Amino acid sequence: MLRRGAVRLGSSYSTATANTTAAKVASLASLRTELVYKPTARFYVTKTATKKETQLAVDAGGAATTAGGHSVPRHPAVSGGMADEAMHVHTADSQVPTPSVYDAPIPSAINFLKSVPRKQLLSLFVIGVCSLNKFVLDTCIKVFPFVPVPIIRLLISDLYCGGETMKQVTDCGAQLQKRGISNMMLSLTIEDSEGTKNIDINHIVDETIQSIHQVLRPNLESQLEKCTPEQVNDIAPGYIALKPSALVKDPAQVLLNFNNPEPYWQAQRQVLIDNCSKITEEIYNLNQEFAKKYPNRVSPFFVSTIDAEKFDLQLNGVYDLQRVLMQKFNPVDAPCVSVIGTWQLYLTDSYNHLFHEYKLAKQYGYKLGLKIVRGAYIHSEANRSEVIHPTKEATDKNYDHIMQTVISDMINKGSKSFYGHLVIASHNYHSQLIATNILDTHKSNKFVNANVILGQLLGMADNVTYDLVHTHHVKNIIKYVPWGPANETKDYLLRRLQENGDAVRSDNGWPLIKNIMLSLSGSK
């Protein structure tokens, strides 16, 4: 049964603690440490700085009120705190320069393209044409809302979306298995972040629960039934993505007023918590059921994932929602976590915020589950100059540093780490390669290898996914699979063009068209 009556969260910082931690971190930050890991078949090792590269650029002030009504600082003024609490570094014994993971060339898409059906090659060719240059891409973005759904369905939907029905999504999962991708993170793409649609919240909750039982469960069971007891940890969990913007009416205002004491907003807050809890309780119960059948498994079988929203919604509501759910469904005495949250690491406060969350989890006895992304709202964030790292390089350093910090804590503490599960959701090849090298070095550590999962969006970074599977033999890898009514997935596709335009241009355009031609000609 689900554990009830969990202790509620309270404030975890004092001035003395902050000053002591800051002093310790200041001494650590003066060192530049090389992290060297065992080379893979392609010889790559990592060499990166552990010093925090950027300072906290925004201090929102104030406090968040959690489920128990206690005040919790959102932005503790502690620089590099996780290094003091949860960091362990491996120092190189030799001063001989080593090749850096960042020198590794991005894998060619040709080998992947050779394995793609002709219909999907046509879809990729369309994407290549749409992203030839900035003018063409911007024009396509403007025209896209007026393109009839049947044309979008014919040309590109299959590339990026799992389908409109659960049967189609099940078939998508089977195709992914043939590519060496063991599982999916399903996202029913019906949402109403601006509160302008008349959507049926109860229908979304029911459809999401049905997709757990009709898609994720059989997809995982079909693979586990073929496994020996030693292989049950080689299959990634099945994930269900929960979008706060789809699970309550007028979600933006509800999240902005998540801690507003007025009765109306408290009632709306409870509706959102109850809807997320109803879905996540299905996940929790399935994990208990499957754990009895497969006792050698050390990772979750299924995971509920809270998706990220824009910064102001994240700050005022989503972080608090994640804490409530993790406290309820990730108690330290559970065999595995059942819910994870999403952190956008292009945010300048992300490093300190995660350290604060770690301390809260430790203090109140629950496990943190993490999905780390670079960020999804860089083109639409209202105050991007204030809350987002000023350069991609700064974001990359922050991402890789946090990723290594979390994995290191999981390696050193095993199942006693308060980081219970980590999804490295990234299209960046070098970040994925760093994680792969670390895991390869610690093959014997079942906990960390089963609970660190690599993932990319369906239809994106497939050259990276292909290389991870076929060159580095990565097993715990997933794809984020949106699905649902065509009109809603159309909105999803447009948002990907808008928010990831820079990535689309650099990864596609003429290079993609050329690689498609080379794959058809049989060139390497």
Side-chain angles (χ1 to χ4, degrees):
M1 296 297 291
L2 187 63
R3 193 181 76 165
R4 305 293 184 186
V7 179
R8 292 182 174 179
L9 305 183
S11 177
S12 64
Y13 274 83
S14 66
T15 302
T17 301
N19 290 341
T20 300
T21 304
K24 292 179 180 179
V25 172
S27 64
L28 285 173
S30 65
L31 300 176
R32 185 174 181 86
T33 307
E34 292 183 334
L35 297 183
V36 179
Y37 302 99
K38 180 181 177 181
T40 67
R42 297 182 70 171
F43 81 85
Y44 302 127
V45 292
T46 71
K47 183 175 69 175
T48 187
T50 60
K51 179 179 178 181
K52 187 171 183 287
E53 300 292 341
T54 54
Q55 296 298 317
L56 185 63
V58 59
D59 184 356
T65 304
T66 62
H70 302 292
S71 176
V72 179
R74 282 201 179 89
H75 300 285
V78 180
S79 176
M82 274 198 295
D84 177 66
E85 177 73 15
M87 184 66 175
H88 177 79
V89 297
H90 303 272
T91 305
D93 295 326
S94 171
Q95 297 301 314
V96 176
T98 56
S100 169
V101 70
Y102 298 104
D103 296 329
I106 305 299
S108 169
I110 295 177
N111 287 332
F112 165 71
L113 291 171
K114 287 180 179 179
S115 68
V116 172
R118 292 297 175 92
K119 184 177 183 297
Q120 287 195 0
L121 280 181
L122 173 62
S123 299
L124 287 166
F125 183 84
V126 171
I127 294 300
V129 171
C130 290
S131 55
L132 275 172
N133 55 51
K134 187 179 188 303
F135 173 78
V136 174
L137 180 63
D138 289 345
T139 301
C140 290
I141 288 174
K142 291 176 182 178
V143 171
F144 190 85
F146 306 102
V147 178
V149 167
I151 294 178
I152 294 175
R153 186 186 288 127
L154 174 67
L155 293 179
I156 60 174
S157 285
D158 288 349
L159 194 62
Y160 297 109
C161 300
E164 298 180 42
T165 68
M166 293 186 199
K167 172 64 169 61
Q168 291 172 338
V169 181
T170 299
D171 292 342
C172 176
Q175 291 301 314
L176 290 175
Q177 286 184 37
K178 293 178 180 178
R179 292 169 51 188
I181 302 163
S182 60
N183 227 318
M184 301 175 284
M185 182 177 290
L186 293 188
S187 175
L188 180 58
T189 55
I190 304 175
E191 57 184 293
D192 185 23
S193 58
E194 304 303 324
T196 58
K197 300 178 183 178
N198 185 25
I199 62 176
D200 186 345
I201 304 297
N202 292 329
H203 172 72
I204 293 174
V205 172
D206 292 341
E207 281 284 285
T208 301
I209 290 174
Q210 286 187 45
S211 71
I212 295 171
H213 293 283
Q214 294 184 27
V215 180
L216 289 183
R217 178 170 185 156
N219 188 66
L220 181 62
E221 280 183 321
S222 66
Q223 297 177 82
L224 289 176
E225 289 170 355
K226 302 172 185 176
C227 290
T228 66
E230 292 74 26
Q231 295 172 328
V232 294
N233 289 298
D234 291 344
I235 311 299
Y239 298 82
I240 202 79
L242 305 186
K243 301 188 72 64
S245 56
L247 294 169
V248 68
K249 296 288 186 182
D250 199 9
Q253 290 304 312
V254 172
L255 290 169
L256 288 172
N257 290 278
F258 201 74
N259 296 295
N260 189 323
E262 291 183 8
Y264 173 78
W265 294 117
Q266 285 297 299
Q268 293 302 102
R269 163 198 169 111
Q270 195 59 49
V271 169
L272 178 55
I273 291 173
D274 288 346
N275 284 335
C276 291
S277 295
K278 185 176 180 180
I279 297 167
T280 305
E281 188 156 4
E282 295 287 329
I283 294 289
Y284 182 95
N285 291 336
L286 280 175
N287 278 329
Q288 313 313 304
E289 175 188 336
F290 274 61
K292 295 176 182 177
K293 188 174 181 180
Y294 300 98
N296 289 340
R297 176 94 168 184
V298 296
S299 73
F301 297 87
F302 305 94
V303 180
S304 176
T305 308
I306 308 302
D307 264 355
E309 302 287 348
K310 294 180 182 179
F311 178 74
D312 56 346
L313 306 183
Q314 197 80 9
L315 179 68
N316 288 284
V318 178
Y319 288 143
D320 295 289
L321 173 65
Q322 291 177 172
R323 290 190 202 107
V324 170
L325 294 172
M326 287 187 201
Q327 188 184 17
K328 187 175 182 180
F329 294 104
N330 293 355
V332 291
D333 56 355
C336 62
V337 306
S338 291
V339 59
I340 64 176
T342 302
W343 275 265
Q344 302 186 98
L345 304 191
Y346 67 4
L347 297 175
T348 53
D349 74 334
S350 54
Y351 189 91
N352 292 315
H353 184 268
L354 264 175
F355 171 57
H356 182 50
E357 295 291 343
Y358 185 93
K359 292 195 72 174
L360 288 175
K362 186 175 181 180
Q363 183 175 356
Y364 293 100
Y366 62 93
K367 294 291 186 80
L368 272 179
L370 313 176
K371 181 181 75 165
I372 56 172
V373 301
R374 275 168 169 76
Y377 298 96
I378 192 167
H379 291 286
S380 58
E381 196 66 68
N383 299 312
R384 56 185 291 186
S385 63
E386 298 178 6
V387 300
I388 294 176
H389 282 294
T391 65
K392 181 182 183 299
E393 181 183 21
T395 296
D396 290 345
K397 288 180 179 178
N398 186 54
Y399 189 98
D400 293 344
H401 185 38
I402 289 176
M403 176 185 70
Q404 291 175 100
T405 298
V406 173
I407 297 176
S408 183
D409 191 78
M410 296 172 72
I411 288 171
N412 293 323
K413 299 176 183 176
S415 61
K416 297 192 180 300
S417 171
F418 284 89
Y419 295 119
H421 195 74
L422 173 65
V423 176
I424 301 170
S426 175
H427 298 154
N428 185 289
Y429 180 60
H430 298 123
S431 294
Q432 297 285 19
L433 198 53
I434 290 171
T436 298
N437 280 335
I438 299 173
L439 296 177
D440 188 62
T441 302
H442 297 274
K443 288 179 180 177
S444 61
N445 189 320
K446 290 184 179 180
F447 174 80
V448 73
N449 275 272
N451 281 287
V452 176
I453 308 297
L454 310 183
Q456 297 86 44
L457 294 171
L458 182 68
M460 297 185 71
D462 285 317
N463 59 320
V464 171
T465 309
Y466 186 93
D467 185 77
L468 291 171
V469 171
H470 293 276
T471 302
H472 300 280
H473 310 294
V474 171
K475 296 177 180 178
N476 281 350
I477 192 165
I478 63 168
K479 282 285 188 178
Y480 184 100
V481 178
W483 72 283
N487 285 332
E488 296 291 343
T489 54
K490 181 179 178 180
D491 290 345
Y492 166 84
L493 293 171
L494 176 60
R495 190 166 66 250
R496 285 301 160 202
L497 285 176
Q498 292 171 329
E499 295 168 356
N500 297 313
D502 294 333
V504 170
R505 285 194 294 272
S506 64
D507 292 346
N508 296 297
W510 172 245
L512 175 59
I513 294 173
K514 183 174 69 173
N515 283 332
I516 290 173
M517 293 177 176
L518 289 173
S519 70
L520 291 172
S521 69
S523 300
K524 294 184 178 180

